[in-house]
Amino acid sequence: MLKIENRKIRLTDDGPFEALRILASIFIALCATFIVLCLVSQTPVDDFVALLTLPLENSFNFGYVLVKMVPLTFAGLATLLYFRTGLFNLSTEGIFYICGVACTYFAVSEARLTGNGFIDSAICIIGSGLAGGIIALLPGFLKAKFQANELVISLMLNSILFGIGFWIIKNFLAISGVTGQSSAPFVESAKLSIIIPKTQVHSGIIIMLFMVALVYILLFRTKLGYSIRMTGLNRNFAKYSGMSAFSLFLTVHFLAGFLGGMGSAVELLGMYRSFTWSQLPGLGFTGALMSMLGKDHPIGVMVGAFGISYLRASAQLLANSSPVIDIKMVSVVEVILTLLISSQYFLRKWREKQLLKEEQQHG
């Protein structure tokens, strides 16, 4: 019998090293935020402590963190599927917006709904998801058929989808005689219910957890998930596994678009009374950050979304009482995290030195 030697877990191993990189990136980002506060605030220490602790002060504040993480998680899950297949697609940005319009189409009309809360919410969410999946097939087809650059296509598509969605809201779904870009109010039966009293936490968080579990099962317990993961490592794998790259790319784009559409509907029905988005929601690059923070793992994406939403919620809550803190402060953290985590060189020399020391010790 072969005896497997117990080996100590080292920081230079792939898993621990990636965790160290993320923790070091977070620490550097928070230090940069503190430096910015030192420049603009008369009480930087108090403001920094408040930024880190305010969501823990009461249930309403913590509930606000939870609802803020829902759209970030959906965006991260959608982007994760692209990244796992070796694609860099940011079309979740435009899909969130146009699918919000699709959700609104159902949610503002009692004639298109049944009056049953569960069924009406499902109609809006599934309808929005299908719209997202179908729209996402366009960049998927162009990539699979013509090897078009998916990043360029997705960025162009975002602007096109925004223009189309804005036009639809303004001309067909807005209240006549009222200025602005707001749609008619959502039918009550279509809205998601509050599940924790005295907070904004709605049933969409349950849907989010369910989708995280489904994406995990898809990636790690199904043949399709295996093909997605292996194709991300080697583009020729799909061909050798018996599944054409064309079919795989279309499937991944549909699933990612479906997740983006669902996330849009959940956010609207849980947090809004009508469609009021006058610009893109900013979830394309944020979804990429969630995927990178979570190392392209569904549970990791959810954890990363919680961390970013924690800071965003804290900054927005503090903005009511602090003249120097607003949501833009958190963008400092997000930009630094994106730069450090996406860089292959961050801490690489340290790792190489440690590996060299370990080889010399065991040599």
Side-chain angles (χ1 to χ4, degrees):
M1 288 180 66
L2 290 173
K3 186 177 180 181
I4 300 176
E5 216 176 277
N6 290 328
R7 191 171 70 86
K8 290 176 65 177
I9 296 176
R10 301 174 299 182
L11 282 176
T12 49
D13 292 340
D14 289 341
F17 177 67
E18 287 301 328
L20 176 65
R21 267 169 41 94
I22 292 174
L23 290 174
S25 300
I26 294 171
F27 177 76
I28 293 171
L30 291 176
C31 287
T33 303
F34 180 70
I35 292 171
V36 172
L37 282 174
C38 289
L39 297 175
V40 300
S41 173
Q42 295 181 347
T43 56
V45 175
D46 292 340
D47 286 339
F48 187 69
V49 171
L51 184 67
L52 297 181
T53 60
L54 185 64
L56 302 176
E57 288 187 357
N58 55 60
S59 59
F60 178 86
N61 289 358
F62 191 75
Y64 190 54
V65 173
L66 296 180
V67 295
K68 292 286 287 183
M69 73 178 284
V70 172
L72 301 188
T73 301
F74 273 103
L77 291 176
T79 309
L80 174 155
L81 292 178
Y82 291 132
F83 285 5
R84 279 283 187 175
T85 320
L87 302 168
F88 198 83
N89 188 315
L90 299 177
S91 60
T92 305
E93 178 92 357
I95 285 174
F96 246 79
Y97 188 89
I98 195 68
C99 288
V101 176
C103 171
T104 301
Y105 170 78
F106 293 103
V108 297
S109 173
E110 292 183 355
R112 302 185 189 107
L113 301 174
T114 65
N116 180 284
F118 179 82
I119 295 176
D120 290 352
S121 297
I123 289 173
C124 296
I125 293 171
I126 294 174
S128 179
L130 289 174
I134 293 170
I135 292 169
L137 289 176
L138 176 59
F141 175 81
L142 294 175
K143 174 64 179 179
K145 188 71 175 178
F146 304 108
Q147 286 301 303
N149 188 299
E150 69 274 10
L151 176 60
V152 174
I153 294 172
S154 64
L155 293 176
M156 293 176 63
L157 185 63
N158 288 339
S159 298
I160 294 170
L161 293 176
F162 171 71
I164 293 173
F166 188 88
W167 178 78
I168 292 173
I169 289 292
K170 185 176 180 180
N171 291 279
F172 299 102
L173 298 176
I175 303 174
S176 59
V178 177
T179 58
Q181 293 81 38
S182 175
S183 73
F186 297 146
V187 176
E188 283 298 321
S189 61
K191 296 180 184 178
L192 297 176
S193 57
I194 299 296
I195 59 174
I196 301 180
K198 298 181 180 180
T199 72
Q200 293 178 295
V201 181
H202 52 77
S203 54
I205 197 166
I206 298 175
I207 300 173
M208 179 202 76
L209 293 171
F210 182 70
M211 296 312 298
V212 168
L214 279 185
V215 173
Y216 176 86
I217 293 170
L218 169 70
L219 282 177
F220 301 106
R221 296 292 185 269
T222 67
K223 182 180 178 181
L224 173 60
Y226 182 73
S227 297
I228 289 173
R229 289 185 287 119
M230 292 300 105
T231 302
L233 299 175
N234 184 344
R235 286 290 178 91
N236 295 319
F237 178 83
K239 179 174 64 177
Y240 298 130
S241 68
M243 183 177 189
S244 70
F246 184 83
S247 299
L248 182 64
F249 282 164
L250 289 185
T251 300
V252 168
H253 277 80
F254 178 83
L255 292 174
F258 188 87
L259 284 167
M262 281 191 70
S264 177
V266 168
E267 173 70 356
L268 278 173
L269 300 179
M271 297 296 292
Y272 292 79
R273 297 188 178 188
S274 61
F275 185 95
T276 57
W277 294 345
S278 58
Q279 58 186 4
L280 290 171
L283 290 169
F285 288 101
T286 304
L289 175 59
M290 296 307 103
S291 186
M292 287 188 287
L293 277 174
K295 305 310 296 179
D296 294 339
H297 192 286
I299 298 175
V301 163
M302 184 173 64
V303 174
F306 175 81
I308 295 299
S309 65
Y310 185 96
L311 290 176
R312 285 188 176 186
S314 182
Q316 287 188 333
L317 291 168
L318 280 171
N320 298 325
S321 58
S322 173
V324 297
I325 295 181
D326 61 14
I327 189 63
K328 293 178 183 177
M329 183 72 68
V330 180
S331 65
V332 174
V333 178
E334 295 180 17
V335 169
I336 294 174
L337 286 177
T338 303
L339 290 174
L340 294 179
I341 294 175
S342 62
S343 172
Q344 297 180 2
Y345 296 96
F346 180 55
L347 292 182
R348 191 177 74 173
K349 286 189 176 181
W350 175 85
R351 187 187 193 190
E352 291 173 351
K353 289 180 180 179
Q354 292 299 117
L355 287 171
L356 186 60
K357 287 181 181 179
E358 290 171 3
E359 287 180 5
Q360 291 174 346
Q361 289 174 357
H362 291 87

